[in-house]
């Protein structure tokens, strides 16, 4: 999986982002628009993090079949930020391969996976992910201090 920040939302809620799925040959599958799966193009820009599931060689064909199955299903779905979105698409793929013995995964499972297993591509991506949040907190603290001092 690849994680990209969603403008403004990921600045405030740094654990929320857009997920894309990669096939075993590196092709990126991205559900970001109604009835459309893009290949090798991520809607929200370059990814900052990745999640490596460390599948065995024998599981890779099953993984690729699950992605094809998800592509067919989500090419018929209407995209919704809170409904059918990239997290639900990724959860479907995990369920299709019975990841960790579960046939149904949720968006929360994908978020937990992202928090626990994701790795940043670079230190610069760490800074880009958290700098906006830190600046907002610093501004709030400064405003509070200024109000209290007046």
């Amino acid at each position: 999986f690849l994680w990209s920040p969603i403008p403004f939302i990921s600045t405030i809620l740094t654990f929320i982002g857009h997920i894309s799925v990669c096939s075993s040959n590196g092709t990126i599958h991205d559900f970001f628009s109604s009835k459309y799966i893009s290949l090798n193009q991520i809607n929200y820009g370059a990814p900052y993090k990745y999640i490596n599931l460390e599948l065995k060689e024998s599981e890779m064909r099953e993984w690729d079949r699950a992605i094809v199955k998800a592509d067919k299903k989500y090419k018929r779905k209407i995209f919704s930020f809170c409904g059918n979105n990239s997290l639900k698409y990724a959860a479907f793929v995990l369920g299709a391969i019975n990841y960790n013995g579960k046939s149904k995964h949720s968006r929360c499972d994908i978020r937990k996976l992202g928090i626990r297993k994701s790795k940043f591509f670079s230190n610069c991506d760490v800074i880009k992910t958290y700098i906006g949040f830190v600046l907002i907190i610093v501004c709030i603290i400064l405003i509070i201090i200024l109000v209290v001092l007046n």
Side-chain angles (χ1 to χ4, degrees), residues 3-148:
W3 181 91
S4 300
I6 299 171
F8 307 112
I9 295 170
S10 298
T11 301
I12 297 166
L13 302 169
T14 57
F15 59 91
I16 292 184
H18 181 76
I19 296 288
S20 302
V21 179
C22 293
S23 65
S24 63
N25 68 4
T27 302
I28 301 166
H29 297 251
D30 192 17
F31 175 61
F32 69 87
S33 178
S34 294
K35 300 181 179 184
Y36 182 72
I37 305 290
S38 73
L39 298 177
N40 291 325
Q41 178 185 356
I42 301 173
N43 185 44
Y44 291 104
Y48 289 6
K49 298 192 278 186
Y50 64 94
I51 303 164
N52 186 357
L53 298 180
E54 299 175 10
L55 299 174
K56 297 174 189 152
E57 188 67 36
S58 60
E59 297 170 312
M60 290 304 211
R61 281 185 291 282
E62 187 179 349
W63 175 256
D64 289 341
R65 282 194 298 271
I67 293 171
V68 169
K69 189 175 177 181
D71 286 357
K72 286 179 183 174
K73 179 178 180 169
Y74 280 82
K75 280 182 180 177
R76 296 188 313 265
K77 298 274 187 184
I78 301 296
F79 182 88
S80 165
F81 189 76
C82 295
N84 289 318
N85 58 28
S86 66
L87 293 170
K88 198 164 181 183
Y89 171 81
F92 180 86
V93 174
L94 284 185
I97 65 162
N98 288 318
Y99 184 72
N100 283 344
K102 287 175 60 176
S103 62
K104 293 208 179 237
H105 288 268
S106 68
R107 290 179 286 239
C108 289
D109 292 332
I110 300 298
R111 283 192 192 99
K112 286 180 208 171
L113 196 60
I115 291 168
R116 292 182 185 149
K117 290 194 170 196
S118 66
K119 294 184 170 94
F120 284 94
F121 283 104
S122 71
N123 290 335
C124 186
D125 291 334
V126 174
I127 293 167
K128 290 189 289 188
T129 298
Y130 296 110
I131 190 73
F133 179 76
V134 170
L135 289 174
I136 289 169
I137 297 301
V138 167
C139 287
I140 290 170
I141 291 170
L142 288 174
I143 290 170
I144 292 170
I145 290 170
L146 289 173
V147 168
V148 169

